[in-house]
Amino acid sequence: MMKSSLWSLLLWAALLLSDVLATYQLNAWDHQLIAAQSHAQTRNNGRPPSRTLDPAKTDSQCRSRTLDLVFIIDSSRSVRPGEFEKVKIFLADMVDTLDIGSDATRVAVVNYASTVKIEFLLKSHFNKPDMKKAISRIGPLAAGTMTGLAIKTAVNEAFTEESGARPRSRKVTKVAIIVTDGRPQDQVEEVSAAARASGIEIYAVGVDRADMRSLQLMASIPLEDHVFYVETYGVIEKLTSKFKETLCEMKAAVVVEDPCKCEARLAFQKQTQAAIQQLTAKLADVSGRIERLEIMVGRA
């Protein structure tokens, strides 16, 4: 009778062990998927992408796709007053290349340093003269470089329907263009990933001392199409032609909301870990019972 109970417990333990092994294999497979997705986002780390700006390739008759476009501009202490004026000229030139209107492209500007200021919203201006006047009135904020806070503010306050963003059902492409010359003093990876997962396509423009690793963490993939670098603010206007070309080519682009389903995978991992803990506890209980039975059998 006692031997029969012992063999039953051993069989039960073997079945539980097979469940644990299957769970660990599944968890390992999930980690491989996440690692592959992380590699896709960071495969170009370590070097600036090479670019050849060719204005001649831009179609002067190109009609840009309808966008909800938010510029996120760095005006920290490292950006000198004359350099900040160059950024404003770049923004005005960009506006000139776009089809601005309530039923066309809408533009907002988020200005940041240690603090963040929304200069105007997507619903503020629907014609180029008013928009360019608003840009000309923007002043630098100085102090630090809270890029992560600026991205978070853009997502939560600028890319909302209340602020003029079109509803998701309209399928209007949402684009953020970040311009910075320094290293962020806060975390940008998580807030940028959340922004991209919500359907925002991010372009990162680095100037002079900009940290390339941070630009790559912020930008959408493929990185070679979303990370730009110029040596000085004096040549940033050259990017206008490149962006015009890029935005014209967006006609076939589709921004997929959370393509890697990262949040769902993280939830699955937590559930898997909880299941492993439960199975481990059961195995410990079974092991204890077997040890006690072995002692009893030995005494008999």
Side-chain angles (χ1 to χ4, degrees), residues 16-293:
L16 283 172
L17 182 61
S18 67
D19 284 342
V20 171
L21 291 174
T23 303
Y24 272 112
Q25 288 170 355
L26 179 59
N27 197 37
W29 176 77
D30 191 59
H31 275 298
Q32 290 170 2
L33 280 179
I34 293 174
Q37 291 155 358
S38 298
H39 175 71
Q41 177 67 30
T42 59
R43 66 186 184 280
N44 287 329
N45 287 350
R47 63 179 178 83
S50 58
R51 290 194 165 273
T52 302
L53 300 176
D54 187 0
K57 293 176 67 176
T58 301
D59 181 3
S60 60
Q61 301 301 317
C62 169
R63 184 176 180 84
S64 67
R65 186 175 181 177
T66 298
L67 309 171
D68 283 337
L69 172 61
V70 176
F71 289 100
I72 304 174
I73 58 172
D74 176 0
S75 65
S76 58
R77 186 178 291 111
S78 61
V79 184
R80 300 180 182 88
E83 294 173 333
F84 190 66
E85 289 302 312
K86 293 287 187 181
V87 175
K88 290 160 62 175
I89 292 172
F90 167 66
L91 297 187
D93 288 346
M94 284 291 298
V95 167
D96 278 334
T97 69
L98 300 169
D99 301 308
I100 302 296
S102 60
D103 295 322
T105 292
R106 300 180 182 183
V107 175
V109 175
V110 174
N111 186 10
Y112 77 95
S114 291
T115 59
V116 179
K117 180 183 179 183
I118 298 180
E119 297 291 348
F120 57 85
L121 297 169
L122 293 169
K123 65 180 181 181
S124 298
H125 305 292
F126 295 135
N127 65 75
K128 294 183 182 183
D130 288 346
M131 191 173 290
K132 291 169 72 173
K133 285 180 183 178
I135 290 171
S136 69
R137 292 193 292 266
I138 298 174
L141 299 176
T145 311
M146 302 296 286
T147 310
L149 178 62
I151 296 170
K152 186 175 181 179
T153 301
V155 173
N156 294 338
E157 300 181 31
F159 279 111
T160 64
E161 291 184 35
E162 294 77 12
S163 298
R166 266 67 66 95
R168 194 171 301 174
S169 59
R170 294 278 299 274
K171 297 181 180 179
V172 173
T173 303
K174 291 176 171 52
V175 173
I177 298 177
I178 303 168
V179 181
T180 181
D181 76 338
R183 181 187 297 272
Q185 294 176 335
D186 57 355
Q187 296 297 318
V188 298
E189 184 172 8
E190 290 186 7
V191 292
S192 299
R196 295 192 302 266
S198 72
I200 299 171
E201 187 169 8
I202 301 179
Y203 291 86
V205 177
V207 183
D208 192 11
R209 302 168 295 275
D211 179 55
M212 183 56 60
R213 168 67 174 165
S214 298
L215 297 177
Q216 293 166 340
L217 289 175
M218 293 186 288
S220 297
I221 56 175
L223 294 179
E224 59 266 23
D225 293 333
H226 292 86
V227 177
F228 296 81
Y229 175 80
V230 291
E231 292 182 354
T232 68
Y233 282 101
V235 295
I236 193 172
E237 70 274 6
K238 291 183 179 181
L239 292 180
T240 306
S241 297
K242 186 60 184 177
F243 268 114
K244 182 177 180 180
E245 178 184 339
T246 300
L247 297 179
C248 285
E249 291 175 349
M250 289 175 61
K251 292 178 180 178
V254 178
V255 178
V256 181
E257 184 174 348
D258 196 7
C260 67
K261 300 296 181 185
C262 296
E263 291 184 4
R265 294 189 182 281
L266 288 174
F268 174 76
Q269 281 185 288
K270 291 180 180 179
Q271 291 173 352
T272 303
Q273 290 169 354
I276 290 172
Q277 290 174 351
Q278 291 176 357
L279 290 170
T280 302
K282 288 181 180 180
L283 278 175
D285 180 60
V286 170
S287 177
R289 292 184 184 185
I290 291 173
E291 287 178 4
R292 289 193 295 271
L293 283 172

